[in-house]
Structures are given as structure tokens and as C-alpha cells.
């Protein structure tokens, strides 16, 4: 553990910043950008084809080989459309909002380790764009900034419905951010480091065995998965768009490039958050080596693909939650559960160090009991007159 | 032990099993331009103007079709037959006959109204135009050729079978059809194909279903699905009450007569 605490990030900077280091950084930056853009094109087609098969259809299969160029064609079409600007819109904010929605997804991916280290010309670097000491907090920051993009887009459209949609969306995202942050804190407590590469390194050593998904009874992984799904407004939490029920959400007034950017940001967040889930809970690039060669990026990609398929599967299976159910799940279930989990894990970690540790663990358990009692009391109270009538037979 | 297999938590994942099985099933998608579902027998497509076996046109220029047309898409101007070279067997013939397919709703009322079965509808529905002029079909484009086949125009996509069964036949359900004539072909023959058997189905709905192959297969698949899920027994084919499968009612069905 002490080795992990003394962790100092990417070995690339050990010799100081010279020209080769800058070039390596630039190459990594461009590679991550290109990878994410391609992964979005891939993901849109992957989702359309998988969801079609889950409905015993074929999905798009006309544009390009087996239809794989369909999303490229759709994107080109969107970019050649007219970019409408509502007369009542706040023009500057209206144009900036989609960018604010897209950029965080890029930023969040920069901390994801996709493999081990490679050595180029005597310079050893991680297969990871950045490994800052605040590590996983970048991901929390990114998901918070995305809310600004959504809120500003709805507000600057100068129209009622996007504003209502934006309020709905931002309320949902902020609600689940609390549970998300508490779960990430639990993982950080389990690992003892904020570095994503350290979180991955702590899960290495034995396929499956050390992965965080099995620690603390799988509770952090489950809560994180639900919270991140709601944070991305993926089904069954897609009340932001609710294609079948609403005219549109916060992006109602957007067309052409603005709409394309929101779409891009949505799918990029999906890929990025799947990658972060793989990093936090599935050991990132951890997996058995083939013939002595470490094939971390392959295992990483495989895990992300399986996670993406699970998201699509969920979309094909679960019906959409009602808004009050969504809020109940977030505030009455996930936040107390993740808070209690954090208390217990924190107590258990200090509990190793003697009397004060055991006292901390005992008070954590007490705190958990009080919290669960409070939840029970809160649940038994009727919310308003109408619900009380429904509850009494 | 049923609480282990029948609780909310397990049932939540049972839903995923149901959707997870779907990719293994045969796809319902029909790859449309290359592959087509069979068309219903009564499909209303592009019109044709029929001829008798001696080459005479059936149209007598009476304008009943134009009169009955609710979309006002048919324009007919009759003219007296030239005595030395008559076009139709009657006194007059359709000198000008135009249908505007941008207005036509394919209701088939013109076919019902026609006293000589001159105008009928083929099964072709995939005809598109790049200008409004092409949408107005003139008589030379509508009249069938010497073998009774409709003219194939450059912008039309005829598939095998589209030109079959264009002739009128007694429809027991049509306003002019009489129930006691069901199963009896009354109208004249179809050039190139001879006399068609009349459509059955007024008193035996199952006989009518025999023609709609695609409909039956879809419904059978759906019924098997319901049975497989442990649900009720849904009959794959709609049957009239009192008629069991396998027991025939004599003399009512054209399918049985065949």
C-alpha cells in the first residue's frame, strides 16, 4: 500500500520536459482524439445494429460494407444542414453550449489507462494521456461540467420547452452525481490512491480475482453502474429525451452542427464512462497474457465492448422510469446506500489500526443503522394526500 | 421454494433473458427491394385498360369511372367508333383516357363501376415519377398489349406476379356481388390467363386466409410465441365459430372445390 501512496504518475516526466516528450504527448493526444471520434461512429452503429437484433430485425445494412458507414453518412448529412438560430436565443451561449457538452467527455477519457507502459526511444510512457495526482476526480469534474452544457443549451434557446427539458435533465444529473461521487470515493478508499493507473495496478495479479467489482460485495460497482447510467441519461433513465413521449428535451431548438455535437457528446460520454467503469471495477487492461505478451489494450477493448452491449441490452429491456421514481431511486436509495457504504469501508480501513479504528468502524455501523432507519421512516411517510389515499387499501 | 424463482429481483433478470434470446431468432426484416412479401390478392395497384381476345378494347367511353372517382383523377372523353376500323365492340370507345396517379387513392371504385371490366388494377404499386407529367398515365400507357400483359414503363419496377390477377372477378363482398353467387366466376376471361376462379371467403373465412400466405405465417409465428411462453392457446388462423379444423362444410368454399 505504501508503494501505491508514493505513486508519482507517468514515468515520462522523470527526465524533465524535452522535445521528444512534447512530441510523444502530442501523438498521444491526437491518438486519443481519433480513437474517441472513431469509437463514437462505431458505437452509434453498434447500438443500432445490436438493438435491431434484440428486436429480431437486421438494422441498417445498406450504407457501406454491411451498413457500417451509416453513422458517417448521418453525420455528414447533419453537418450540411442549416444551423438554425432562434430569434430569442442568447446567441453566444447558444453556440457555446454544445461545445461545453462535448469537451468533458474527451477530458474524462484522458485519464483512462488503456494498457501498460510502452518504451519509445528510451522514453517510457503509459498508454494513458494524462495521469494527474487528482486522477479520478477528473471524471467527476467532467460529468459536472456536462450539466452546464445541458442547462445553458436549454436556457439560451429562448423557448419554454427546452428550458423545461434542461431543468428536468440537470435535476436528474445533479441528483445522481452525489451517489456517483460517493461510490468513486469508496473505490478510492479501497485502493488508497486517486491515480487511475494505481487503481488499475491495485486490481492486477490474478485474472478476475482482485477486481474491484467483487469487493465490498459488489455494492460499489452496482451503485456506480446505476448512477452512471442515470448521469448519462441512458435508458431506462432517458427522461431527458424520452423519444416516445416528448417533443424533445434541452436540445429541441438545435439543428445541424449543434445537434450533432450533443449527439456526439452523448455517445462519447457512453464510451468514456464504460471505459471508466472498466478502469474502476474490471481491472482496466488486466487479463491473462497470451504467449508471454501482455495484451492489455485488447482486454480493455473487450471489457468496454461488453459493457456497451449491456447498456444496449438494458435499453432494449427496461421500461422508462417515471420522474418521481427516478428521484426516489436517486435520493432515497442510491445516495443513502452509497453514503453508508462509504462509512463502512472507511471504518473498516481505519479498523486495522487498533482501538480508535474499531471505534470508527463501530460508529460507522451505528451511522449506517441510523441512516437506514431514517430511510425507512421517510418511506413510510405519505408524500401528499393523494399518495396516502393510494397507500391505504 | 417458489420465492427463490419468483421474486422481483429474479424477475428483473428474467426480462433480460427474454430480450437476450431475441438475437438468436430468425429476423422478421424483409430486404425490401430485393426481396418482397407476397402481395394480398385484393391489392389495388396501377390500373390497366383491358382488351378482348380479338384485340378490341373493352372501354366504351361511358365515363362511369370518371363519374364515380372520389379523387377526380380520371379523365375520359368518348368518341364514336369509326365504322371501318372499330376500336371497341360497342357504339363508342374511349378516345381519351387519362389517370392522374398523383391524385388516385386506389379505392377501386372505378373497377366496381366499369360495366365492361375495361379498367382493373394490377398489383404494381412501386411506380414513382420525377415530374408531374409522368404521373398522368395516358391511354397508350394503360392499355394492355396483345398478350394481355400491361405495358412496362421505364420508371416502373415490375416484379414477377405483379401483372397476374389483374382482371376483375366476382367479389362476394363487393356492393354488386350477391352472396348466392359466391364461388362462381361470372366475369369474362383475362387476356393471356383465361378465366380466373372466383374468390371465396364470404361464408368461410378460412378459405380466404388460404390466399394470404404471409398473413398466416405471421400469425402462426405470433401464436407459437404465445404458446411457447406458457400462455393461452391462440388459434393460428381465424376460424368461423362452429367450424372445427378438418371438418368441411360442403359446397361453400372455392378452396375445397379445388
Amino acid at each position: 500500500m505504501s508503494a501505491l501512496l508514493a505513486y508519482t504518475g507517468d514515468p515520462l516526466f522523470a527526465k524533465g520536459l524535452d522535445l521528444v516528450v512534447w512530441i510523444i504527448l502530442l501523438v498521444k493526444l491526437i491518438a486519443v482524439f481519433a480513437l474517441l471520434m472513431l469509437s463514437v461512429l462505431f458505437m452509434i452503429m453498434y447500438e443500432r445494429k445490436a438493438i435491431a437484433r434484440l428486436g429480431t430485425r437486421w438494422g441498417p445494412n445498406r450504407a457501406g460494407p454491411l451498413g457500417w458507414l451509416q453513422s458517417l453518412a448521418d453525420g455528414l448529412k447533419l453537418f450540411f444542414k442549416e444551423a438554425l438560430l432562434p430569434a430569442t436565443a442568447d446567441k453566444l451561449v447558444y453556440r457555446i453550449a454544445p461545445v461545453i457538452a462535448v469537451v468533458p467527455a474527451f477530458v474524462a477519457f484522458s485519464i483512462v489507462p488503456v494498457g501498460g507502459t510502452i518504451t519509445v526511444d528510451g522514453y517510457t510512457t503509459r498508454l494513458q494521456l494524462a495521469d494527474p495526482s487528482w486522477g479520478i476526480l477528473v471524471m467527476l469534474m467532467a460529468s459536472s461540467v456536462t450539466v452546464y452544457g445541458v442547462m445553458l443549451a436549454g436556457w439560451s434557446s429562448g423557448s419554454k420547452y427546452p428550458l423545461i427539458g434542461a431543468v428536468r435533465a440537470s435535476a436528474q444529473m445533479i441528483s445522481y452525481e452525489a451517489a456517483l461521487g460517493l461510490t468513486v470515493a469508496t473505490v478510492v478508499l479501497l485502493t488508497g490512491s486517486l491515480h487511475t493507473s494505481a487503481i488499475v495496478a491495485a486490481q492486477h495479479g490474478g485474472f478476475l480475482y482482485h477486481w474491484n467489482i467483487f469487493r465490498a460485495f459488489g455494492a460499489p460497482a452496482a451503485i456506480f453502474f446505476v448512477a452512471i447510467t442515470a448521469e448519462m441519461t441512458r435508458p431506462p433513465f432517458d427522461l431527458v429525451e424520452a423519444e416516445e413521449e416528448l417533443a424533445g428535451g434541452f436540445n429541441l431548438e438545435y439543428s445541424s452542427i449543434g445537434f450533432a455535437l450533443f449527439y456526439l457528446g452523448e455517445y462519447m460520454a457512453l464510451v468514456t464512462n464504460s471505459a471508466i467503469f472498466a478502469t474502476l471495477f474490471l481491472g482496466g487492461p488486466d487479463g491473462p497474457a497470451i504467449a508471454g505478451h501482455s495484451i492489455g489494450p485488447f482486454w480493455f477493448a473487450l471489457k468496454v465492448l461488453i459493457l456497451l452491449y449491456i447498456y444496449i441490452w438494458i435499453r432494449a429491456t427496461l421500461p422508462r422510469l417515471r420522474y418521481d421514481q427516478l428521484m426516489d431511486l436517486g435520493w432515497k436509495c442510491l445516495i443513502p446506500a452509497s453514503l453508508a457504504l462509504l462509512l463502512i469501508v472507511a471504518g473498516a480501513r481505519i479498523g486495522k489500526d487498533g482501538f480508535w479504528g474499531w471505534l470508527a468502524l463501530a460508529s460507522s455501523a451505528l451511522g449506517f443503522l441510523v441512516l437506514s432507519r431514517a430511510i425507512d421512516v421517510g418511506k413510510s411517510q405519505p408524500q401528499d394526500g393523494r399518495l396516502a389515499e393510494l397507500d391505504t387499501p | 421454494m417458489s420465492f427463490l424463482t419468483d421474486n422481483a429481483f429474479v424477475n428483473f433478470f428474467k426480462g433480460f433473458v427474454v430480450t437476450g434470446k431475441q438475437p438468436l431468432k430468425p429476423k422478421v426484416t424483409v430486404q425490401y427491394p430485393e426481396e418482397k412479401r407476397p402481395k394480398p390478392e385484393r391489392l389495388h395497384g396501377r390500373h390497366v385498360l383491358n382488351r378482348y381476345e380479338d384485340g378490341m378494347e373493352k372501354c366504351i367511353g361511358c365515363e362511369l369511372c370518371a363519374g364515380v372517382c372520389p379523387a377526380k383523377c380520371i379523365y375520359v372523353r368518348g368518341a364514336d367508333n369509326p365504322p371501318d376500323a372499330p376500336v371497341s365492340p360497342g357504339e363508342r370507345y374511349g378516345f381519351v383516357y387519362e389517370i392522374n396517379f398523383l391524385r388516385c387513392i386506389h379505392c377501386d371504385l372505378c373497377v366496381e363501376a366499369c360495366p365492361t371490366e375495361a379498367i382493373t388494377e394490377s398489383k404494381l404499386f412501386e411506380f414513382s415519377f420525377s415530374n408531374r407529367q409522368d404521373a398522368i398515365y395516358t391511354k397508350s400507357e394503360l392499355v394492355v398489349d396483345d398478350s394481355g400483359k400491361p405495358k412496362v414503363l421505364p420508371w416502373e419496377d415490375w416484379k414477377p406476379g405483379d401483372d397476374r390477377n389483374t382482371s376483375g372477378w366476382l367479389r362476394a363482398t363487393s356492393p354488386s356481388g350477391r352472396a348466392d353467387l359466391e364461388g362462381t366466376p361470372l366475369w369474362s376471361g383475362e387476356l393471356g390467363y383465361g378465366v380466373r376462379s372466383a374468390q371465396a371467403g364470404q361464408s368461410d373465412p378460412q378459405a380466404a386466409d388460404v390466399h394470404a400466405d404471409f398473413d398466416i405465417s405471421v400469425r402462426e409465428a405470433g401464436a407459437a410465441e404465445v404458446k411457447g411462453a406458457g400462455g393461452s392457446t391462440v388459434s393460428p388462423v381465424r376460424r368461423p365459430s362452429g367450424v372445427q379444423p378438418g371438418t368441411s362444410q360442403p359446397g361453400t368454399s372455392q378452396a375445397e372445390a379445388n
Side-chain angles (χ1 to χ4, degrees):
Chain A
M1 185 49 61
S2 56
L4 284 174
L5 285 175
Y7 192 81
T8 52
D10 201 327
L12 182 64
F13 305 115
K15 298 176 198 165
L17 286 172
D18 57 12
L19 185 65
V20 183
V21 171
W22 281 111
I23 290 173
I24 289 176
L25 279 179
L26 192 66
V27 168
K28 285 208 291 189
L29 186 67
I30 293 169
V32 166
F33 185 80
L35 186 75
L36 265 181
M37 292 300 282
L38 285 177
S39 73
V40 168
L41 286 183
F42 166 79
M43 179 55 207
I44 295 172
M45 274 318 290
Y46 185 48
E47 166 149 45
R48 291 186 66 181
K49 278 180 170 290
I51 204 119
R53 276 160 179 75
L54 286 163
T56 64
R57 297 180 288 115
W58 281 118
N61 58 357
R62 295 280 162 177
L66 293 175
W68 278 101
L69 296 181
Q70 181 70 48
S71 51
L72 190 68
D74 287 347
L76 280 177
K77 184 205 74 174
L78 266 179
F79 275 89
F80 282 112
K81 278 186 153 186
E82 183 190 359
L84 294 169
L85 181 70
T88 50
D90 185 321
K91 294 181 179 51
L92 181 68
V93 181
Y94 183 82
R95 290 195 199 286
I96 287 176
V99 182
I100 297 176
V102 173
V103 169
F106 271 120
V107 175
F109 195 84
S110 65
I111 57 155
V112 173
V114 294
T117 57
I118 53 166
T119 304
V120 183
D121 192 26
Y123 291 86
T124 303
T125 183
R126 295 186 186 285
L127 285 174
Q128 177 179 1
L129 181 57
D131 194 10
S133 57
W134 57 85
I136 193 66
L137 298 185
V138 171
M139 173 252 175
L140 293 177
M141 179 278 289
S143 63
S144 304
V145 172
T146 311
V147 184
Y148 279 89
V150 169
M151 192 66 221
L152 290 178
W155 173 76
S156 67
S157 295
S159 166
K160 294 182 206 70
Y161 297 109
L163 184 63
I164 295 169
V167 170
R168 191 172 60 223
S170 51
Q172 172 183 345
M173 289 164 135
I174 290 169
S175 298
Y176 280 84
E177 219 158 73
L180 196 66
L182 288 169
T183 328
V184 169
T186 310
V187 174
V188 169
L189 272 183
L190 285 169
T191 308
S193 174
L194 284 170
H195 282 284
T196 44
S197 51
I199 291 173
V200 165
Q203 299 178 69
H204 273 229
F207 186 55
L208 278 174
Y209 182 61
H210 285 292
W211 289 3
N212 277 340
I213 192 169
F214 301 113
R215 300 185 72 175
F217 308 107
I223 297 173
F224 183 88
F225 191 81
V226 175
I228 203 75
T229 309
E231 183 73 24
M232 290 186 296
T233 67
R234 284 283 302 177
F237 306 105
D238 59 338
L239 292 99
V240 174
E241 291 171 44
E243 282 175 333
E244 297 86 0
E245 295 157 30
L246 303 169
F250 61 92
N251 57 3
L252 181 66
E253 298 287 351
Y254 280 90
S255 58
S256 185
I257 296 174
F259 183 80
L261 282 179
F262 278 119
Y263 208 72
L264 186 77
E266 196 177 304
Y267 277 88
M268 206 177 282
L270 181 59
V271 175
T272 303
N273 287 329
S274 298
I276 285 172
F277 186 89
T279 302
L280 288 181
F281 296 103
L282 301 179
D286 183 33
I290 303 278
H293 294 286
S294 174
I295 47 167
F298 168 76
W299 291 117
F300 180 78
L302 187 68
K303 286 166 189 173
V304 171
L305 276 182
I306 291 171
L307 277 171
L308 290 176
Y309 188 80
I310 290 174
Y311 277 118
I312 299 166
W313 197 356
I314 288 173
R315 180 181 163 183
T317 305
L318 296 180
R320 185 174 298 125
L321 268 71
R322 240 175 24 228
Y323 199 69
D324 60 322
Q325 291 171 332
L326 176 91
M327 286 296 161
D328 278 359
L329 181 66
W331 289 99
K332 292 184 187 168
C333 189
L334 289 188
I335 290 178
S338 53
L339 195 56
L341 194 67
L342 180 69
L343 283 176
I344 288 174
V345 169
R349 285 208 62 90
I350 308 171
K352 290 172 182 167
D353 304 332
F355 171 74
W356 290 107
W358 288 111
L359 191 64
L361 184 56
S363 52
S364 300
L366 193 65
F368 171 67
L369 287 176
V370 170
L371 199 58
S372 58
R373 176 63 189 150
I375 296 166
D376 278 351
V377 170
K379 274 181 184 162
S380 63
Q381 292 295 319
Q383 301 300 307
D384 55 36
R386 188 173 150 272
L387 275 179
E389 279 168 26
L390 288 173
D391 284 347
T392 49
Chain B
M1 295 297 279
S2 68
F3 68 92
L4 284 179
T5 54
D6 189 26
N7 60 55
F9 188 73
V10 171
N11 287 339
F12 179 81
F13 289 101
K14 275 185 187 169
F16 283 91
V17 174
V18 171
T19 46
K21 279 183 195 162
Q22 304 303 316
L24 307 173
K25 292 184 177 171
K27 307 287 179 285
V28 295
T29 311
V30 176
Q31 297 296 333
Y32 164 63
E34 295 87 20
E35 180 190 341
K36 287 182 182 173
R37 303 176 79 175
K39 295 188 178 81
E41 191 172 21
R42 294 187 182 191
L43 186 132
H44 297 170
R46 200 206 93 181
H47 297 81
V48 291
L49 282 175
N50 294 308
R51 303 162 81 169
Y52 291 106
E53 281 157 21
D54 58 3
M56 290 282 205
E57 287 177 12
K58 289 186 179 180
C59 181
I60 54 172
C62 67
E63 301 185 27
L64 278 178
C65 46
V68 80
C69 181
K72 298 271 176 282
C73 71
I74 305 180
Y75 174 72
V76 186
R77 199 194 316 159
D80 288 338
N81 265 318
D84 46 344
V87 181
S88 77
E91 193 176 311
R92 286 162 70 80
Y93 73 105
F95 176 61
V96 176
Y97 200 104
E98 290 177 358
I99 300 181
N100 186 348
F101 279 104
L102 289 174
R103 307 194 65 168
C104 177
I105 58 170
H106 295 278
C107 63
D108 227 20
L109 281 178
C110 48
V111 180
E112 308 280 359
C114 185
T116 61
E117 303 162 31
I119 184 164
T120 54
E121 293 200 346
S122 67
K123 303 284 171 284
L124 174 77
F125 64 91
E126 299 128 317
F127 53 113
S128 60
F129 337 99
S130 51
N131 64 64
R132 285 160 191 254
Q133 209 55 47
D134 282 351
I136 300 171
Y137 278 51
T138 58
K139 195 176 118 178
S140 61
E141 291 162 333
L142 289 167
V143 172
V144 297
D145 64 10
D146 289 341
S147 61
K149 301 280 175 59
K151 281 208 178 67
V152 176
L153 297 168
W155 55 86
E156 291 176 344
D157 182 24
W158 288 86
K159 290 285 191 276
D162 280 356
D163 57 347
R164 286 194 67 91
N165 299 346
T166 54
S167 72
W169 74 102
L170 181 71
R171 290 165 185 172
T173 50
S174 70
S176 56
R178 300 212 307 274
D180 57 334
L181 292 175
E182 185 195 338
T184 312
L186 284 190
W187 290 3
S188 61
E190 182 180 349
L191 196 57
Y193 295 115
V195 178
R196 246 180 99 191
S197 55
Q199 190 182 25
Q202 173 85 344
S203 54
D204 185 3
Q206 199 193 344
D209 276 338
V210 168
H211 299 285
D213 297 331
F214 73 100
D215 205 24
I216 282 190
S217 65
V218 166
R219 259 186 280 160
E220 274 173 349
E225 184 84 348
V226 173
K227 277 181 193 161
S232 61
T233 52
V234 175
S235 173
V237 177
R238 169 172 50 93
R239 296 184 196 287
S241 58
V243 180
Q244 292 302 314
T247 62
S248 60
Q249 289 188 322
T252 55
S253 162
Q254 177 66 28
E256 284 167 8
N258 288 342

